[in-house]
PDB file of all heavy atoms in Angstrom:
ATOM      1  N   GLU A1261     153.475  79.884 140.957  1.00 83.00           N
ATOM      2  CA  GLU A1261     152.963  78.613 140.570  1.00 83.00           C
ATOM      3  C   GLU A1261     151.639  78.689 139.835  1.00 83.00           C
ATOM      4  O   GLU A1261     151.290  77.882 139.010  1.00 83.00           O
ATOM      5  CB  GLU A1261     152.778  77.664 141.765  1.00 83.00           C
ATOM      6  CG  GLU A1261     154.073  77.357 142.513  1.00 83.00           C
ATOM      7  CD  GLU A1261     154.504  78.451 143.381  1.00 83.00           C
ATOM      8  OE1 GLU A1261     153.650  79.280 143.844  1.00 83.00           O
ATOM      9  OE2 GLU A1261     155.723  78.561 143.685  1.00 83.00           O
ATOM     10  N   GLU A1262     150.845  79.676 140.207  1.00 84.00           N
ATOM     11  CA  GLU A1262     149.527  79.752 139.643  1.00 84.00           C
ATOM     12  C   GLU A1262     149.444  80.528 138.293  1.00 84.00           C
ATOM     13  O   GLU A1262     148.387  80.666 137.696  1.00 84.00           O
ATOM     14  CB  GLU A1262     148.601  80.523 140.607  1.00 84.00           C
ATOM     15  CG  GLU A1262     148.303  79.736 141.843  1.00 84.00           C
ATOM     16  CD  GLU A1262     147.677  80.677 142.966  1.00 84.00           C
ATOM     17  OE1 GLU A1262     147.151  81.729 142.641  1.00 84.00           O
ATOM     18  OE2 GLU A1262     147.777  80.253 144.099  1.00 84.00           O
ATOM     19  N   SER A1263     150.641  81.054 137.823  1.00 85.00           N
ATOM     20  CA  SER A1263     150.626  81.913 136.667  1.00 85.00           C
ATOM     21  C   SER A1263     150.896  81.198 135.415  1.00 85.00           C
ATOM     22  O   SER A1263     151.776  80.272 135.408  1.00 85.00           O
ATOM     23  CB  SER A1263     151.707  83.010 136.817  1.00 85.00           C
ATOM     24  OG  SER A1263     151.611  83.596 138.074  1.00 85.00           O
ATOM     25  N   SER A1264     150.260  81.563 134.286  1.00 83.00           N
ATOM     26  CA  SER A1264     150.567  80.995 133.034  1.00 83.00           C
ATOM     27  C   SER A1264     151.984  81.302 132.637  1.00 83.00           C
ATOM     28  O   SER A1264     152.730  80.422 132.203  1.00 83.00           O
ATOM     29  CB  SER A1264     149.612  81.486 131.962  1.00 83.00           C
ATOM     30  OG  SER A1264     148.299  81.082 132.286  1.00 83.00           O
ATOM     31  N   PRO A1271     147.044  87.442 131.473  1.00 90.00           N
ATOM     32  CA  PRO A1271     146.464  87.120 130.129  1.00 90.00           C
ATOM     33  C   PRO A1271     146.118  88.420 129.417  1.00 90.00           C
ATOM     34  O   PRO A1271     145.540  89.340 129.978  1.00 90.00           O
ATOM     35  CB  PRO A1271     145.252  86.280 130.451  1.00 90.00           C
ATOM     36  CG  PRO A1271     145.376  85.864 131.890  1.00 90.00           C
ATOM     37  CD  PRO A1271     146.393  86.763 132.569  1.00 90.00           C
ATOM     38  N   GLU A1274     142.428  90.972 124.403  1.00 87.00           N
ATOM     39  CA  GLU A1274     142.510  91.460 123.023  1.00 87.00           C
ATOM     40  C   GLU A1274     141.662  92.645 122.736  1.00 87.00           C
ATOM     41  O   GLU A1274     142.095  93.568 122.032  1.00 87.00           O
ATOM     42  CB  GLU A1274     142.097  90.332 122.100  1.00 87.00           C
ATOM     43  CG  GLU A1274     143.173  89.382 121.750  1.00 87.00           C
ATOM     44  CD  GLU A1274     142.714  88.225 120.940  1.00 87.00           C
ATOM     45  OE1 GLU A1274     141.601  88.368 120.308  1.00 87.00           O
ATOM     46  OE2 GLU A1274     143.405  87.204 120.860  1.00 87.00           O
ATOM     47  N   ASP A1278     142.766  96.025 120.476  1.00 89.00           N
ATOM     48  CA  ASP A1278     142.359  96.094 119.056  1.00 89.00           C
ATOM     49  C   ASP A1278     142.554  97.489 118.406  1.00 89.00           C
ATOM     50  O   ASP A1278     143.097  97.633 117.276  1.00 89.00           O
ATOM     51  CB  ASP A1278     141.024  95.551 118.815  1.00 89.00           C
ATOM     52  CG  ASP A1278     141.056  94.048 118.722  1.00 89.00           C
ATOM     53  OD1 ASP A1278     142.175  93.532 118.503  1.00 89.00           O
ATOM     54  OD2 ASP A1278     140.101  93.368 118.809  1.00 89.00           O
ATOM     55  N   GLU A1282     145.212  98.691 115.115  1.00 92.00           N
ATOM     56  CA  GLU A1282     144.877  99.349 113.891  1.00 92.00           C
ATOM     57  C   GLU A1282     145.729 100.655 113.702  1.00 92.00           C
ATOM     58  O   GLU A1282     146.205 100.915 112.628  1.00 92.00           O
ATOM     59  CB  GLU A1282     143.401  99.791 113.881  1.00 92.00           C
ATOM     60  CG  GLU A1282     142.575  98.732 113.131  1.00 92.00           C
ATOM     61  CD  GLU A1282     141.081  99.054 113.072  1.00 92.00           C
ATOM     62  OE1 GLU A1282     140.743  99.950 112.222  1.00 92.00           O
ATOM     63  OE2 GLU A1282     140.328  98.461 113.887  1.00 92.00           O
ATOM     64  N   LEU A1292     154.446  96.074 109.902  1.00 94.00           N
ATOM     65  CA  LEU A1292     153.628  95.310 110.791  1.00 94.00           C
ATOM     66  C   LEU A1292     152.494  94.484 110.009  1.00 94.00           C
ATOM     67  O   LEU A1292     151.891  93.621 110.535  1.00 94.00           O
ATOM     68  CB  LEU A1292     152.884  96.184 111.846  1.00 94.00           C
ATOM     69  CG  LEU A1292     153.929  96.891 112.786  1.00 94.00           C
ATOM     70  CD1 LEU A1292     153.176  97.807 113.754  1.00 94.00           C
ATOM     71  CD2 LEU A1292     154.647  95.854 113.624  1.00 94.00           C
ATOM     72  N   GLY A1293     152.353  94.904 108.720  1.00 93.00           N
ATOM     73  CA  GLY A1293     151.321  94.238 107.928  1.00 93.00           C
ATOM     74  C   GLY A1293     151.851  93.013 107.244  1.00 93.00           C
ATOM     75  O   GLY A1293     151.148  92.380 106.472  1.00 93.00           O
ATOM     76  N   GLU A1295     152.362  89.493 106.270  1.00 92.00           N
ATOM     77  CA  GLU A1295     151.505  88.343 106.499  1.00 92.00           C
ATOM     78  C   GLU A1295     152.304  87.177 107.121  1.00 92.00           C
ATOM     79  O   GLU A1295     151.773  86.318 107.799  1.00 92.00           O
ATOM     80  CB  GLU A1295     150.900  87.833 105.146  1.00 92.00           C
ATOM     81  CG  GLU A1295     149.832  88.823 104.620  1.00 92.00           C
ATOM     82  CD  GLU A1295     148.457  88.786 105.305  1.00 92.00           C
ATOM     83  OE1 GLU A1295     148.292  87.922 106.238  1.00 92.00           O
ATOM     84  OE2 GLU A1295     147.637  89.665 105.088  1.00 92.00           O
ATOM     85  N   ALA A1297     154.568  87.420 109.278  1.00 93.00           N
ATOM     86  CA  ALA A1297     154.978  87.713 110.732  1.00 93.00           C
ATOM     87  C   ALA A1297     153.758  87.470 111.620  1.00 93.00           C
ATOM     88  O   ALA A1297     152.621  87.787 111.264  1.00 93.00           O
ATOM     89  CB  ALA A1297     155.383  89.174 110.815  1.00 93.00           C
ATOM     90  N   GLY A1298     154.030  86.936 112.720  1.00 93.00           N
ATOM     91  CA  GLY A1298     152.930  86.635 113.695  1.00 93.00           C
ATOM     92  C   GLY A1298     153.042  87.357 114.992  1.00 93.00           C
ATOM     93  O   GLY A1298     154.107  87.843 115.366  1.00 93.00           O
ATOM     94  N   ILE A1299     151.924  87.406 115.690  1.00 93.00           N
ATOM     95  CA  ILE A1299     151.930  87.960 117.061  1.00 93.00           C
ATOM     96  C   ILE A1299     152.402  86.810 117.977  1.00 93.00           C
ATOM     97  O   ILE A1299     151.700  85.881 118.272  1.00 93.00           O
ATOM     98  CB  ILE A1299     150.518  88.419 117.454  1.00 93.00           C
ATOM     99  CG1 ILE A1299     149.995  89.480 116.474  1.00 93.00           C
ATOM    100  CG2 ILE A1299     150.505  88.999 118.886  1.00 93.00           C
ATOM    101  CD1 ILE A1299     148.539  89.760 116.627  1.00 93.00           C
TER     102      ILE A1299
ATOM    103  N   SER C 880     145.239  78.146 130.390  1.00 89.00           N
ATOM    104  CA  SER C 880     146.643  77.885 130.234  1.00 89.00           C
ATOM    105  C   SER C 880     147.264  77.963 131.634  1.00 89.00           C
ATOM    106  O   SER C 880     147.622  79.039 132.138  1.00 89.00           O
ATOM    107  CB  SER C 880     147.254  78.959 129.299  1.00 89.00           C
ATOM    108  OG  SER C 880     148.547  79.094 129.449  1.00 89.00           O
ATOM    109  N   GLY C 882     149.544  77.477 135.168  1.00 80.00           N
ATOM    110  CA  GLY C 882     150.955  77.583 135.554  1.00 80.00           C
ATOM    111  C   GLY C 882     151.449  76.233 136.100  1.00 80.00           C
ATOM    112  O   GLY C 882     150.964  75.162 135.675  1.00 80.00           O
ATOM    113  N   THR C 883     152.390  76.270 136.977  1.00 78.00           N
ATOM    114  CA  THR C 883     152.895  74.976 137.531  1.00 78.00           C
ATOM    115  C   THR C 883     152.004  74.392 138.535  1.00 78.00           C
ATOM    116  O   THR C 883     152.228  73.274 139.034  1.00 78.00           O
ATOM    117  CB  THR C 883     154.291  75.218 138.087  1.00 78.00           C
ATOM    118  OG1 THR C 883     154.308  76.211 138.986  1.00 78.00           O
ATOM    119  CG2 THR C 883     155.338  75.418 136.960  1.00 78.00           C
ATOM    120  N   ARG C 884     150.980  75.116 138.981  1.00 83.00           N
ATOM    121  CA  ARG C 884     150.031  74.521 139.957  1.00 83.00           C
ATOM    122  C   ARG C 884     148.631  74.894 139.456  1.00 83.00           C
ATOM    123  O   ARG C 884     148.388  76.072 139.181  1.00 83.00           O
ATOM    124  CB  ARG C 884     150.293  75.060 141.346  1.00 83.00           C
ATOM    125  CG  ARG C 884     149.711  74.100 142.404  1.00 83.00           C
ATOM    126  CD  ARG C 884     150.041  74.564 143.815  1.00 83.00           C
ATOM    127  NE  ARG C 884     149.223  75.708 144.173  1.00 83.00           N
ATOM    128  CZ  ARG C 884     149.630  76.702 144.971  1.00 83.00           C
ATOM    129  NH1 ARG C 884     150.862  76.664 145.411  1.00 83.00           N
ATOM    130  NH2 ARG C 884     148.833  77.699 145.246  1.00 83.00           N
ATOM    131  N   VAL C 886     144.942  75.549 140.440  1.00 90.00           N
ATOM    132  CA  VAL C 886     144.208  75.949 141.673  1.00 90.00           C
ATOM    133  C   VAL C 886     142.753  75.628 141.477  1.00 90.00           C
ATOM    134  O   VAL C 886     142.120  75.943 140.485  1.00 90.00           O
ATOM    135  CB  VAL C 886     144.395  77.415 141.919  1.00 90.00           C
ATOM    136  CG1 VAL C 886     143.815  77.793 143.245  1.00 90.00           C
ATOM    137  CG2 VAL C 886     145.882  77.783 141.929  1.00 90.00           C
ATOM    138  N   LEU C 899     144.346  83.268 134.717  1.00 88.00           N
ATOM    139  CA  LEU C 899     144.908  82.488 133.650  1.00 88.00           C
ATOM    140  C   LEU C 899     144.470  82.956 132.308  1.00 88.00           C
ATOM    141  O   LEU C 899     143.352  83.472 132.107  1.00 88.00           O
ATOM    142  CB  LEU C 899     144.479  80.996 133.827  1.00 88.00           C
ATOM    143  CG  LEU C 899     144.947  80.374 135.136  1.00 88.00           C
ATOM    144  CD1 LEU C 899     144.481  78.886 135.129  1.00 88.00           C
ATOM    145  CD2 LEU C 899     146.452  80.432 135.287  1.00 88.00           C
ATOM    146  N   GLY C 900     145.348  82.807 131.321  1.00 89.00           N
ATOM    147  CA  GLY C 900     144.976  83.043 130.009  1.00 89.00           C
ATOM    148  C   GLY C 900     144.273  81.830 129.443  1.00 89.00           C
ATOM    149  O   GLY C 900     144.307  80.704 130.065  1.00 89.00           O
ATOM    150  N   PRO C1054     149.361  84.115 114.497  1.00 94.00           N
ATOM    151  CA  PRO C1054     148.547  84.980 113.649  1.00 94.00           C
ATOM    152  C   PRO C1054     149.242  86.277 113.310  1.00 94.00           C
ATOM    153  O   PRO C1054     149.891  86.837 114.159  1.00 94.00           O
ATOM    154  CB  PRO C1054     147.321  85.262 114.524  1.00 94.00           C
ATOM    155  CG  PRO C1054     147.641  84.893 115.869  1.00 94.00           C
ATOM    156  CD  PRO C1054     148.791  83.927 115.846  1.00 94.00           C
ATOM    157  N   SER C1055     149.068  86.783 112.149  1.00 94.00           N
ATOM    158  CA  SER C1055     149.696  88.004 111.748  1.00 94.00           C
ATOM    159  C   SER C1055     148.791  89.175 112.177  1.00 94.00           C
ATOM    160  O   SER C1055     147.619  88.951 112.503  1.00 94.00           O
ATOM    161  CB  SER C1055     149.888  88.086 110.221  1.00 94.00           C
ATOM    162  OG  SER C1055     148.657  88.194 109.589  1.00 94.00           O
ATOM    163  N   PRO C1057     147.646  91.635 110.186  1.00 94.00           N
ATOM    164  CA  PRO C1057     146.468  91.745 109.266  1.00 94.00           C
ATOM    165  C   PRO C1057     145.490  90.609 109.495  1.00 94.00           C
ATOM    166  O   PRO C1057     144.325  90.809 109.376  1.00 94.00           O
ATOM    167  CB  PRO C1057     147.145  91.684 107.876  1.00 94.00           C
ATOM    168  CG  PRO C1057     148.540  92.112 108.078  1.00 94.00           C
ATOM    169  CD  PRO C1057     148.894  91.667 109.461  1.00 94.00           C
ATOM    170  N   ARG C1059     144.786  89.198 112.245  1.00 93.00           N
ATOM    171  CA  ARG C1059     143.943  89.560 113.438  1.00 93.00           C
ATOM    172  C   ARG C1059     142.872  90.547 112.993  1.00 93.00           C
ATOM    173  O   ARG C1059     141.747  90.462 113.448  1.00 93.00           O
ATOM    174  CB  ARG C1059     144.787  90.250 114.518  1.00 93.00           C
ATOM    175  CG  ARG C1059     145.477  89.328 115.478  1.00 93.00           C
ATOM    176  CD  ARG C1059     144.873  89.195 116.839  1.00 93.00           C
ATOM    177  NE  ARG C1059     144.045  90.310 117.390  1.00 93.00           N
ATOM    178  CZ  ARG C1059     142.825  90.103 117.874  1.00 93.00           C
ATOM    179  NH1 ARG C1059     142.262  88.896 117.870  1.00 93.00           N
ATOM    180  NH2 ARG C1059     142.116  91.102 118.348  1.00 93.00           N
ATOM    181  N   MET C1060     143.233  91.510 112.167  1.00 92.00           N
ATOM    182  CA  MET C1060     142.227  92.509 111.815  1.00 92.00           C
ATOM    183  C   MET C1060     141.170  91.890 110.983  1.00 92.00           C
ATOM    184  O   MET C1060     140.017  92.156 111.169  1.00 92.00           O
ATOM    185  CB  MET C1060     142.910  93.612 110.963  1.00 92.00           C
ATOM    186  CG  MET C1060     144.165  94.271 111.562  1.00 92.00           C
ATOM    187  SD  MET C1060     143.934  94.938 113.176  1.00 92.00           S
ATOM    188  CE  MET C1060     142.779  96.212 112.753  1.00 92.00           C
ATOM    189  N   ARG C1061     141.593  90.938 110.121  1.00 94.00           N
ATOM    190  CA  ARG C1061     140.529  90.253 109.230  1.00 94.00           C
ATOM    191  C   ARG C1061     139.639  89.469 110.172  1.00 94.00           C
ATOM    192  O   ARG C1061     138.381  89.467 110.022  1.00 94.00           O
ATOM    193  CB  ARG C1061     141.230  89.401 108.206  1.00 94.00           C
ATOM    194  CG  ARG C1061     141.812  90.094 107.033  1.00 94.00           C
ATOM    195  CD  ARG C1061     142.138  89.128 105.912  1.00 94.00           C
ATOM    196  NE  ARG C1061     143.266  88.227 106.303  1.00 94.00           N
ATOM    197  CZ  ARG C1061     144.501  88.490 106.123  1.00 94.00           C
ATOM    198  NH1 ARG C1061     144.878  89.636 105.489  1.00 94.00           N
ATOM    199  NH2 ARG C1061     145.441  87.666 106.473  1.00 94.00           N
ATOM    200  N   LYS C1063     138.875  89.825 113.183  1.00 92.00           N
ATOM    201  CA  LYS C1063     138.006  90.691 113.963  1.00 92.00           C
ATOM    202  C   LYS C1063     136.693  90.961 113.263  1.00 92.00           C
ATOM    203  O   LYS C1063     135.632  91.071 113.836  1.00 92.00           O
ATOM    204  CB  LYS C1063     138.756  91.967 114.281  1.00 92.00           C
ATOM    205  CG  LYS C1063     138.446  92.564 115.661  1.00 92.00           C
ATOM    206  CD  LYS C1063     139.272  93.815 115.881  1.00 92.00           C
ATOM    207  CE  LYS C1063     138.540  95.022 115.299  1.00 92.00           C
ATOM    208  NZ  LYS C1063     139.347  96.261 115.460  1.00 92.00           N
TER     209      LYS C1063
END
Side-chain angles (χ1 to χ4, degrees):
Chain A
E1261 296 78 26
E1262 292 165 21
S1263 311
S1264 297
E1274 273 176 19
D1278 276 343
E1282 267 180 76
L1292 296 176
E1295 291 283 353
I1299 303 169
Chain C
S880 158
T883 51
R884 201 177 75 215
V886 185
L899 298 181
S1055 70
R1059 273 258 335 128
M1060 308 304 296
R1061 283 193 294 270
K1063 214 179 85 182

